[in-house]
């Protein structure tokens, strides 16, 4: 089973993922897609590690995430992938500027589809943490537009494959996939 957790920066996504992983069992693998390129990133990785129980396995894998989920998803109770936005960034930053827009996006989406397929095949609960990205959140440049589009499509691919999709705001998760087909509070207020 896959769960997608999305929301803004510092909305409580990672903490929710960690709570769901704890509820799954003792054997948890945390796949960190962030590369420790500077001191700020190293500090974030350290802070995340300190929150996790010491018996959790941490895998730093910026690109081969589907392969890491396949490997650890067969022996873990839960696998956390934190974060999809960094995986997309890592793929895009390794591409050449000469690659056409569609090929750049296709490479990202192929990797994300692979992640969704693997998550459906493993016994572990796979919890993917992702940021919502929209206009005004990323720089107005070609790479910014490619990132925004690739993230939007990636979130859609995983949301379709996930059993639950949580939107977190200020630490409060709402299962927006469970609301599909039901009247939302907004719709009720409009009637």
């Amino acid at each position: 089973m896959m769960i997608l957790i999305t929301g803004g920066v510092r909305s409580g996504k990672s903490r929710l993922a960690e709570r769901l992983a704890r509820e799954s069992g003792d054997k948890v693998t945390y796949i960190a897609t962030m590369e420790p390129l500077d001191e700020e990133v190293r500090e974030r990785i350290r802070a995340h590690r300190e929150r996790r129980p010491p018996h959790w396995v941490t895998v730093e894998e910026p690109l081969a995430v589907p392969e890491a989920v396949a490997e650890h998803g067969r022996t873990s109770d839960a696998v956390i992938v934190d974060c999809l936005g960094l995986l997309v960034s890592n793929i895009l930053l390794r591409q050449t500027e000469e690659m056409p827009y569609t090929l750049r996006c296709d490479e990202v989406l192929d990797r994300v589809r692979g992640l969704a397929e693997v998550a459906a095949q493993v016994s572990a609960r796979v919890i993917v943490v992702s940021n919502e990205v929209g206009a005004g959140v990323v720089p107005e440049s070609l790479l910014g537009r490619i990132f925004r589009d690739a993230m939007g499509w990636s979130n859609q691919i995983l949301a379709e494959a996930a059993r639950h999709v949580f939107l977190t705001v200020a630490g409060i998760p709402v299962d927006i996939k469970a609301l599909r087909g039901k009247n939302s509070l907004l719709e009720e207020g409009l009637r």
Side-chain angles (χ1 to χ4, degrees):
M1 167 183 44
M2 183 170 57
I3 298 171
L4 177 64
I5 301 173
T6 188
V9 174
R10 306 224 191 299
S11 62
K13 299 180 305 286
S14 294
R15 289 188 189 277
L16 175 59
E18 292 165 7
R19 189 185 92 216
L20 294 172
R22 279 187 193 92
E23 292 171 0
S24 300
D26 288 332
K27 293 190 269 183
V28 176
T29 300
Y30 191 103
I31 300 174
T33 61
M34 184 183 307
E35 294 182 274
L37 300 175
D38 60 27
E39 191 54 41
E40 179 184 348
V41 172
R42 281 190 284 280
E43 178 58 27
R44 283 187 67 194
I45 290 171
R46 185 196 60 69
H48 276 236
R49 277 192 189 136
E50 283 183 4
R51 275 202 326 252
R52 295 191 293 264
H55 63 277
W56 284 15
V57 174
T58 297
V59 176
E60 291 179 6
E61 181 47 67
L63 289 172
V65 173
E67 295 83 354
V69 170
E71 178 183 343
H72 295 277
R74 299 188 199 299
T75 58
S76 298
D77 298 315
V79 175
I80 298 173
V81 176
D82 195 359
C83 125
L84 182 65
L86 292 169
L87 172 63
V88 170
S89 295
N90 293 337
I91 295 167
L92 291 175
L93 292 173
R94 284 171 173 75
Q95 297 173 340
T96 65
E97 290 183 26
E98 294 78 34
M99 287 178 70
Y101 170 90
T102 54
L103 290 180
R104 294 177 90 173
C105 287
D106 286 349
E107 183 179 352
V108 170
L109 300 181
D110 287 346
R111 189 79 43 207
V112 172
R113 282 186 200 97
L115 173 57
E117 290 168 9
V118 166
Q121 296 170 3
V122 298
S123 58
R125 175 185 278 184
V126 178
I127 306 163
V128 180
V129 178
S130 181
N131 290 329
E132 281 299 313
V133 199
V137 177
V138 295
E140 186 56 38
S141 65
L142 177 59
L143 184 58
R145 286 190 300 277
I146 293 170
F147 175 77
R148 183 191 63 226
D149 293 348
M151 275 301 299
W153 292 324
S154 295
N155 281 334
Q156 288 177 2
I157 289 167
L158 293 183
E160 188 62 34
R163 182 174 294 167
H164 300 280
V165 179
F166 289 101
L167 171 65
T168 57
V169 178
I172 301 169
V174 176
D175 189 345
I176 58 177
K177 192 161 187 174
L179 296 175
R180 185 186 291 178
K182 297 180 181 177
N183 292 332
S184 70
L185 294 175
L186 176 62
E187 290 169 333
E188 288 297 318
L190 294 175
R191 291 183 182 194

